[in-house]
Amino acid sequence: MDSDLCLQLRAALLRHQIPLEPVQAQISSQQHHSLFDRSRLDYLTRILEENDEELLLQLPQQQQTSYQVLLRELTECLSPNSCARSSLSMDTASPPHSLSRTSTVSFHSLLMDCARAVAANNSTEVNELVREIITLASHQSRPVEKAALYFTNAFVARLAGCGARMYAAMRQDVTRMQSISIRMNLPSLRATERFANQMILDACRGAKRVHIVDYGILYGDQWPSLIKALSERAEGPPLFKITGIDFPSLVNLEKTGNRLVDYAESCGMHLEFHSIATAAWESAQPRYHLFSELLFVNCQLRMRHIREDGIIDSPRKLFFEKILSFKPVMFSSFDGAWRSFLARMESFEETMKLGLIDQSQLDFMDKFIEKCAMGVIACDGQNRVERISSYKTWDRLARKGQFGQLPVSKQALEMVMSVWSGHENFTYGMDENWLLLGWKDAVLNALSVWEPIEKLPRFKHQ
C-alpha cells in the first residue's frame, strides 16, 4: 500500500473514528467466478431470456427528448442572451477559457461556489461558473471530470426550474434490460444481498413459517439464493411467503411474483407471493400472522427513496413506526451513504478494470450517477425521489423507532468478504454493528440488521 493511501485512511480514522481498513484477502478471477451465486445468476438469466417487451420499454417517440435538447433548453433559460448557448453535455465544444481561475482549482470549490450562486438565484454568476467548469472538464473522461459535469447540469436544471423534467428523461434513457444485466456482477449489490440472506438464514433455522416483507423488491433477484438454501434444509423447507413492495412506475410486481413462484417450484418449494404497488411505503400494510410467522423486513439500497418531508408525520418516521408494528424478527437495511458520488464512479471504473463489468455496463452506471445527482440537486417536493442520508442518520431514526442493532454474524461477514475484494482500495470496517463497505476512505454502503428492542434477548446467532 502506498504512503498516500495510508495517510488518507489515517485521516479517515481521525475524522470519523471508524476503523476502516483495506480488505486483505485477494482472490483470483477463477475463484471469484466459483463464488458467484449460481441461483441468482440463473434467475436473472431467465429474465433476460424472456424477451419481454416491458424490459425494452421506452417513452413513446413523440415524448422522447434527448439530454442534449433538454440541456440546450436549460442553458437558454439560464442565459437567453448569452453567446454560450451550448449544451452542457460532455461532447460539447469547450468555450474559451477567459476567466481568472486556473485549471488547478478544485472542482469541489467551483461546485460549492455554483451551489451558493444557485441558492442566491444569481444567474450571471452561475453562468460564469458553469462555463469555467465545462472548460476544465468537457474534454476529459476521468471520474472527477464526469462527476463535475453531472453536478453542473443539475445546478443549471435547478436554476431553470426544469429538474423534474430532466430527471424523468434520464429515467427513460436506459432500458430495464440494462438494469438487470448490471445486477449480475456489481460487487456492491452482490455483497449486500449475500449479507442479508445469510443473516436471515441464520435466524430462521428450524422455523416452519417464514415471511419476508421486501421494500424495493424490483425484480426479486435477491431471493433465489435464499429459496435454494431453504429448499435444501435438513429439516425440509418452511412455508415461505414474500410480500414485495415497490413503485408501480418501476416494475410489474405481478411478473416479479410469478417469476419467484416459478423458481421456487423448480426447487421443489412452495412460495406464496403478495404484492403492494405504491410510492408511499410508510402506509403499505402487508398481510401477516403475528404469532405463527417468523417475519423479516428487508430494504436493500432503496431507503433513499423514502421521503423526509414533514416533522410530526415525516414519512421516514412513519416508516419505522409501521415496521415496528409488524414486530419482525429482523429488519435488514442497507444505506447507500453517498457522501461522494465521485468515490462511486471511481469504484465502478476499478470494477471494470477487474473484469467484473464491461464498458457498456460502466456507461450505464455513469448514467445512473448522473440521474441521481439530478434528482438530489434539481428536484424538490413530490418530484424528489433521490435523497442523500448518511448511515448515522438511519441509525438515529432506527433507535428513535425503538429498534436495537444486532451483531453481524461470522458467516454473513465471510459471505460479504467473498465478494468485496480484488483491489486494496475496496475497503471495509465496523462502526459498532454497522458493516461499512468503502472505496478508499469513503463509505459506499453501510449494512445493518435491527430488531424491536423488546425482542432483542431472544435472538441469538448459532
Side-chain angles (χ1 to χ4, degrees):
M1 186 191 310
D2 59 50
S3 58
D4 288 342
L5 182 57
C6 288
L7 289 174
Q8 290 178 12
L9 296 178
R10 283 178 178 273
L13 290 173
L14 292 173
R15 190 165 59 250
H16 302 292
Q17 299 182 351
I18 296 171
L20 199 62
E21 60 187 41
V23 176
Q24 297 298 319
Q26 300 291 323
I27 58 175
S28 68
S29 58
Q30 182 177 1
Q31 288 173 309
H32 181 93
H33 182 75
S34 68
L35 288 169
F36 192 89
D37 186 342
R38 296 299 307 179
S39 301
R40 182 170 174 274
L41 176 60
D42 291 344
Y43 179 80
L44 286 169
T45 301
R46 292 183 192 183
I47 298 178
L48 291 174
E49 290 174 347
E50 288 178 2
N51 196 27
D52 191 338
E53 291 183 1
E54 180 192 356
L55 301 178
L56 302 171
L57 184 63
Q58 298 282 3
L59 282 174
Q61 186 62 40
Q62 64 271 22
Q63 295 182 28
Q64 289 184 13
T65 309
S66 70
Y67 288 0
Q68 289 75 22
V69 173
L70 276 173
L71 289 170
R72 280 197 295 271
E73 290 179 6
L74 296 181
T75 306
E76 289 170 1
C77 289
L78 172 65
S79 184
N81 298 316
S82 171
C83 61
R85 291 189 179 182
S86 60
S87 166
L88 304 186
S89 60
M90 285 186 287
D91 59 351
T92 301
S94 296
H97 182 49
S98 59
L99 300 178
S100 60
R101 302 188 198 221
T102 68
S103 59
T104 58
V105 71
S106 71
F107 282 113
H108 180 266
S109 297
L110 285 169
L111 291 169
M112 288 299 293
D113 289 346
C114 195
R116 284 189 284 268
V118 170
N121 201 31
N122 187 338
S123 61
T124 300
E125 185 176 358
V126 171
N127 194 32
E128 291 181 355
L129 289 164
V130 164
R131 286 168 58 84
E132 185 166 0
I133 294 169
I134 295 173
T135 299
L136 297 176
S138 61
H139 286 296
Q140 303 181 61
S141 59
R142 293 183 303 165
V144 64
E145 285 94 21
K146 290 191 287 186
L149 289 172
Y150 298 162
F151 273 63
T152 301
N153 288 344
F155 284 133
V156 173
R158 182 174 183 86
L159 189 67
C162 300
R165 181 183 173 193
M166 191 68 186
Y167 183 80
M170 288 178 171
R171 288 184 67 176
Q172 293 291 339
D173 189 61
V174 294
T175 66
R176 298 178 188 181
M177 184 80 75
Q178 290 173 297
S179 176
I180 295 172
S181 177
I182 194 67
R183 296 177 74 84
M184 286 185 170
N185 293 313
L186 203 62
S188 58
L189 288 175
R190 294 174 57 213
T192 55
E193 289 175 357
R194 289 189 178 202
F195 175 85
N197 288 354
Q198 187 61 52
M199 293 293 285
I200 292 172
L201 202 58
D202 289 344
C204 69
R205 287 175 182 164
K208 296 182 178 179
R209 296 173 65 97
V210 176
H211 182 185
I212 294 174
V213 177
D214 188 8
Y215 288 88
I217 189 170
L218 204 58
Y219 305 109
D221 52 287
Q222 176 176 344
W223 304 120
S225 58
L226 181 64
I227 290 171
K228 183 70 172 176
L230 290 174
S231 71
E232 295 174 350
R233 291 194 317 180
E235 66 269 36
L239 295 174
F240 192 39
K241 179 165 67 175
I242 294 177
T243 297
I245 303 172
D246 216 324
F247 296 167
S249 60
L250 281 184
V251 67
N252 185 321
L253 289 178
E254 182 180 355
K255 290 185 178 180
T256 293
N258 291 338
R259 293 181 186 119
L260 287 172
V261 168
D262 290 344
Y263 185 84
E265 289 181 354
S266 72
C267 296
M269 180 173 164
H270 175 73
L271 169 65
E272 180 182 343
F273 185 87
H274 297 278
S275 64
I276 301 178
T278 179
W281 291 359
E282 70 278 4
S283 60
Q285 184 60 56
R287 291 177 288 174
Y288 64 97
H289 304 285
L290 182 60
F291 299 107
S292 60
E293 291 181 343
L294 207 59
L295 180 65
F296 300 88
V297 176
N298 179 77
C299 188
Q300 182 197 234
L301 301 177
R302 294 286 302 280
M303 294 184 75
R304 71 183 191 278
H305 289 157
I306 303 173
R307 293 184 297 114
E308 55 187 341
D309 49 297
I311 299 177
I312 298 177
D313 293 325
S314 164
R316 292 189 174 187
K317 174 176 177 289
L318 296 175
F319 176 76
F320 279 100
E321 290 177 353
K322 175 67 70 173
I323 293 174
L324 186 65
S325 71
F326 301 159
K327 300 189 183 302
V329 171
M330 218 162 62
F331 168 41
S332 305
S333 69
F334 312 96
D335 170 43
W338 287 4
R339 292 193 300 108
S340 172
F341 285 100
L342 174 58
R344 283 194 175 271
M345 293 178 69
E346 288 179 344
S347 71
F348 294 149
E349 193 166 272
E350 187 60 35
T351 300
M352 184 184 73
K353 292 178 182 178
L354 294 172
L356 301 180
I357 61 175
D358 59 27
Q359 183 63 54
S360 65
Q361 293 171 323
L362 176 64
D363 293 341
F364 171 84
M365 294 312 301
D366 283 348
K367 287 183 178 181
F368 175 75
I369 293 294
E370 184 180 18
K371 173 182 72 72
C372 290
M374 183 64 66
V376 167
I377 295 170
C379 297
D380 284 314
Q382 296 292 329
N383 292 320
R384 188 179 182 188
V385 296
E386 305 281 355
R387 298 164 185 86
I388 296 178
S389 298
S390 74
Y391 73 94
K392 292 289 189 180
T393 298
W394 292 111
D395 187 275
R396 288 193 297 271
L397 286 170
R399 295 183 192 280
K400 281 185 178 180
Q402 300 301 304
F403 284 89
Q405 204 169 22
L406 292 168
V408 175
S409 72
K410 179 181 178 181
Q411 295 92 333
L413 181 60
E414 290 175 350
M415 290 293 285
V416 171
M417 291 300 99
S418 70
V419 174
W420 199 250
S421 58
H423 193 284
E424 65 178 3
N425 286 331
F426 284 102
T427 57
Y428 79 97
M430 296 295 300
D431 184 6
E432 295 185 348
N433 286 317
W434 283 94
L435 175 57
L436 308 178
L437 304 180
W439 171 256
K440 299 181 181 179
D441 63 343
V443 177
L444 299 181
N445 299 113
L447 287 61
S448 63
V449 178
W450 301 79
E451 190 175 41
I453 289 175
E454 63 188 40
K455 297 175 67 176
L456 279 175
R458 76 180 184 87
F459 178 80
K460 296 183 183 296
H461 290 301
Q462 300 298 319

